[in-house]
Amino acid sequence: MRILGIETSCDETAAAIIETDYGGKNVRLLANVVASSLPFHAKTGGIIPEVAARQQTTSILPVLEEALKTIGWEPPYKGGAKELPAIDAIAVTYGPGLIGSLLVGVETAKTLSYVWNKPLIPVNHLYGHIYANWIDSKTTGNKRFTDENIPFPALALIVSGGHTDLVVLKNHGDITWIGGTRDDAAGEAFDKIGRLLGLPYPAGPTIEKLAKSGTPKAYAFPRPMIGTNDFDFSFSGLKTAVFREVQTMKELNNQTIVDLSASVQQAIFDVLIKKTIKAAQMYQVQSVLFGGGVAANQTLLEQFAQSAQRFQLNASFFVPEKNLCTDNAAMIATAAFYNNQEIPWHELTANPELYFD
Ligand code: KG4
Ligand code: ZN
């Protein structure tokens, strides 16, 4: 079975094709095309929804064409045959996200479902981040992914620019939300604090690099909600603490920037790791999955592995390769395969507020 995935919930325009029936294990990645309007947003220090959506309307068809080319399909106007592409279903992110951006992907997917007469599968973007873990490493070259099948029950930590959530998966589609951020998401904290430090958007990858030359104990920033008896997070106070610290400084020199980066990153990771391990123990999961842009951070994964060992956590852990941690359409097609719930094209509407049920 081949699924075409489409993802346009934030600033990316992405299309991917996965194949699912080879050896019955995970899924094979055939195409993974991502166009980003990031260069437009780097200048403004954050995403301007209108700018993102306008870029997506111009990128969506070229991105789809590029993905479909990998399975030998070209549109008739480019000299291709009139046959339909060899795909069995179309999966699309219908929320959460920016409404203008979501509409581009959703309306394109509905149109293709209509004209090609292919089943349409709506996907929750957050499920997508979790399901990036099921894409076979042999087809992606991922070194960090272990090739075992992922055992249930599993705990997933989603850490992206818009979300920080802990969920328990008893099985495919059987997902229970156990906690999340009450204000800023972890990636949002990186980005907003990065802005205070004069770093380009998105700041997460830059802070990870700078932190390597800094001292994590240089500044004693708060670890918000680290000791609370729940699985919730709060990162907006951290941003205020950094703001206050920066205000007391005469100048931000290189040393202070690397030390602030290391200290901020450590404060965020201490909380994420503590609560993830606590949840893994309480729910006695057999595996821990990571997903979302912040999971691309190598330091987070190394520190989690060390803590897991220290607390004798008896669970395997899984991380998608870096380019599958950040937004992409392969994860959307994969989530569609494991939670296949097709609907008639005329019943699908974008839902920017979509969350876990
Ligand atoms: O999953 P994603 O691509 O988009 C959303 O669904 O939000 O995540 C983007 C977020 C940004 O906030 C970015 O700063 C953060 O992920 N990020 C990182 C790293 N790479 C991306 N944060 C920390 N370390 C990284 N290496
Ligand atoms: Zn995302």
Side-chain angles (χ1 to χ4, degrees):
M1 182 182 194
R2 278 179 184 176
I3 302 178
L4 169 68
I6 300 175
E7 153 66 42
T8 62
S9 66
C10 194
D11 67 309
E12 284 87 3
T13 309
I17 300 168
I18 59 154
E19 190 161 62
T20 59
D21 48 359
Y22 83 111
K25 198 175 148 200
N26 301 323
V27 301
R28 183 210 303 251
L29 189 56
L30 298 182
N32 188 27
V33 184
V34 182
S36 169
S37 56
L38 254 188
F40 292 89
H41 308 301
K43 292 179 217 145
T44 45
I47 291 167
I48 298 180
E50 174 77 15
V51 174
R54 280 173 186 264
Q55 284 299 318
Q56 284 161 321
T57 55
T58 56
S59 307
I60 187 77
L61 293 179
V63 163
L64 276 162
E65 274 184 17
E66 198 179 325
L68 290 164
K69 214 162 133 182
T70 59
I71 56 163
W73 188 82
E74 285 214 292
Y77 86 92
K78 282 197 169 165
K82 292 235 163 62
E83 288 106 56
L84 300 183
I87 55 161
D88 303 291
I90 300 164
V92 64
T93 303
Y94 73 111
L98 305 168
I99 184 62
S101 295
L102 286 168
L103 280 171
V104 176
V106 166
E107 295 308 316
T108 304
K110 283 162 71 174
T111 307
L112 293 179
S113 166
Y114 173 80
V115 296
W116 289 344
N117 195 26
K118 304 276 185 193
L120 181 64
I121 307 171
V123 175
N124 180 331
H125 180 83
L126 300 169
Y127 279 46
H129 276 305
I130 300 170
Y131 275 88
N133 285 289
W134 269 270
I135 299 169
D136 195 314
S137 64
K138 285 193 292 300
T139 61
T140 63
N142 183 8
K143 301 279 187 300
R144 291 191 283 166
F145 189 111
T146 72
D147 264 327
E148 321 150 28
N149 277 322
I150 296 173
F152 291 112
L155 174 76
L157 173 69
I158 303 162
V159 269
S160 70
H163 293 271
T164 302
D165 291 295
L166 274 168
V167 299
V168 174
L169 288 86
K170 285 208 195 106
N171 212 324
H172 291 298
D174 186 351
I175 299 184
T176 309
W177 179 88
I178 59 165
T181 186
R182 296 189 178 176
D183 40 57
D184 291 354
E188 194 178 353
F190 273 107
D191 297 338
K192 286 181 174 169
I193 290 168
R195 205 172 167 177
L196 291 175
L197 304 183
L199 306 176
Y201 177 87
T206 315
I207 291 183
E208 177 180 15
K209 253 184 245 134
L210 294 173
K212 289 193 201 302
S213 344
T215 309
K217 287 192 175 152
Y219 298 93
F221 290 128
R223 269 67 175 153
M225 299 189 75
I226 195 160
T228 57
N229 205 14
D230 53 32
F231 299 110
D232 285 348
F233 303 92
S234 164
F235 293 111
S236 72
L238 186 57
K239 180 184 61 195
T240 315
V242 178
F243 178 68
R244 291 224 180 89
E245 190 66 51
V246 169
Q247 270 191 324
T248 65
M249 295 174 179
K250 281 202 205 85
E251 57 151 2
L252 273 177
N253 61 36
N254 286 350
Q255 190 58 45
T256 45
I257 289 179
V258 294
D259 283 342
L260 284 166
S261 295
S263 303
V264 161
Q265 177 173 272
Q266 198 57 55
I268 295 173
F269 289 173
D270 280 354
V271 187
L272 290 176
I273 292 170
K274 174 102 189 269
K275 294 226 162 165
T276 304
I277 291 195
K278 194 172 130 196
Q281 286 169 330
M282 182 178 285
Y283 289 90
Q284 301 185 340
V285 297
Q286 296 208 37
S287 47
V288 178
L289 319 177
F290 292 85
V294 182
N297 188 303
Q298 194 64 40
T299 310
L300 169 65
L301 308 173
E302 282 162 11
Q303 292 191 358
F304 177 81
Q306 285 161 8
S307 289
Q309 206 172 22
R310 196 161 357 111
F311 288 97
Q312 298 178 333
L313 188 68
N314 196 14
S316 329
F317 77 99
F318 299 84
V319 187
E321 73 172 293
K322 275 191 185 197
N323 70 328
L324 296 174
C325 284
T326 48
D327 288 351
N328 64 86
M331 68 185 196
I332 301 305
T334 307
F337 172 65
Y338 285 104
N339 301 275
N340 190 339
Q341 282 174 339
E342 59 184 80
I343 65 167
W345 66 266
H346 48 87
E347 285 180 14
L348 180 60
T349 48
N351 181 358
E353 311 295 336
L354 186 68
Y355 202 32
F356 291 102
D357 324 306

